[in-house]
Amino acid sequence: MWTNAQIKANGLANFKKNRWACIVVSIILGICAGGSAGGTANSANNEQIRDQFANLSPEIVAVILGVVGVAFLVAVVIDILLFNVLQVGCQKFCIVNRTQDNAQISEVTYGFKSNWMNIVKVMFLKDLYLCLWTLLCFIPGIIKSYSYRLVPYILADNPDMTASEAITLSRTMMNGQKMNAFIYDLSFIGWYILAIITCGIVGVFYSFPYKMCSDAELYTAIKETFNPQPENV
C-alpha cells in the first residue's frame, strides 16, 4: 500500500531530475486548469454591473450580452479542443518523466498526435458528468471529482480507450482510494499557503511542479495496487 511520504518523495525526485522542464509543463497545466475553471465575479462587482446595465438602452444591452455569449462559447470551445488535450499531454510528460532522465516538453502535444478526437470526446464527457454532479449538489461533485481524477492519466496511457471505459476504469481504480487521495491533497496545503505568501513565486518554481510530479506517482501507485505487475518467475 502506498503512503503519502513515499509518493511525495518519489515525486520530488522526479521533479528535481528534470527541474526546468517540469516547471514549464506545470505552468502549461496551470493555464489549462485555469481555462477549464474560468473566473467568477464577486457579488459587489455583480451589483455594479447590474447598476450599469440599468442605465443602458435595451439594444446596447442585447449587443453586450451577445458579445459576452460569443466570448463564452469561444472559451468553451478552446477548453474542449485545446486545454483538455494539453492536460492529457502534461500527464503524459509526467508519466514519461518517471522513467526517463530527460523527458521532453514536447510530450505535452501527445494528445494531438494520439487519437485527438477520442481524447476530446472523453475529456468533454468527463467534464460534463462532473458538472452535472456538481449542479446536483456540491458534495457529490467533490466525490465524483475524485472518482474521475485518473481519466487524463488513463488517456495518456491508453488514448484509444472509449469514454465509458476510461471513466469506469477511473471510478473502479479510485474505489477505496478517494479518502486517501483527499488526505494526500491536504498534505500540500502548506506549500499552497507558501505560494500565496510569496505571490506565486514558490508555487511556480517549486510547489506546483512538485505536486504535479507527485500526482503522477499517485496514479502509478494506485494503478499498481489495482493491477499489480506479475512477479518474474
Side-chain angles (χ1 to χ4, degrees), residues 185-194:
D185 286 337
L186 287 180
S187 70
F188 282 90
I189 283 183
W191 287 111
Y192 294 147
I193 294 174
L194 187 59

Side-chain angles (χ1 to χ4, degrees), residues 62-129:
V63 171
I64 293 175
L65 291 178
V67 172
V68 172
V70 170
F72 175 76
L73 289 177
V74 170
V76 170
V77 170
I78 292 174
D79 177 40
I80 293 172
L81 300 182
L82 177 63
F83 289 155
N84 279 349
V85 181
L86 284 174
Q87 183 181 350
V88 172
C90 290
Q91 311 308 356
K92 182 64 176 181
F93 167 86
C94 293
I95 292 172
V96 173
N97 190 58
R98 292 187 63 256
T99 57
Q100 295 183 12
D101 291 334
N102 192 28
Q104 300 299 309
I105 297 175
S106 60
E107 291 289 350
V108 301
T109 64
Y110 170 83
F112 298 102
K113 300 178 290 186
S114 305
N115 205 342
W116 170 75
M117 185 53 66
N118 184 65
I119 291 176
V120 168
K121 177 183 176 181
V122 176
M123 291 293 288
F124 168 74
L125 290 175
K126 187 264 293 184
D127 289 344
L128 177 62
Y129 296 157

Side-chain angles (χ1 to χ4, degrees), residues 124-137:
F124 168 74
L125 290 175
K126 187 264 293 184
D127 289 344
L128 177 62
Y129 296 157
L130 183 57
C131 179
L132 293 175
W133 276 106
T134 303
L135 289 175
L136 178 64
C137 190

Side-chain angles (χ1 to χ4, degrees), residues 215-228:
D215 285 350
E217 283 294 321
L218 177 64
Y219 162 69
T220 303
I222 292 175
K223 181 175 68 172
E224 291 176 348
T225 301
F226 173 75
N227 185 23

Side-chain angles (χ1 to χ4, degrees), residues 11-28 93-94 97 100-105 191 201-213:
L12 183 58
N14 292 334
F15 165 44
K16 287 183 174 180
K17 73 179 182 181
N18 199 7
R19 182 182 298 271
W20 289 107
C22 290
I23 290 173
V24 171
V25 173
S26 74
I27 292 174
I28 296 173
F93 167 86
C94 293
N97 190 58
Q100 295 183 12
D101 291 334
N102 192 28
Q104 300 299 309
I105 297 175
W191 287 111
I201 295 176
V202 170
V204 170
F205 292 102
Y206 193 90
S207 303
F208 302 152
Y210 169 30
K211 177 65 161 56
M212 179 187 72
C213 291

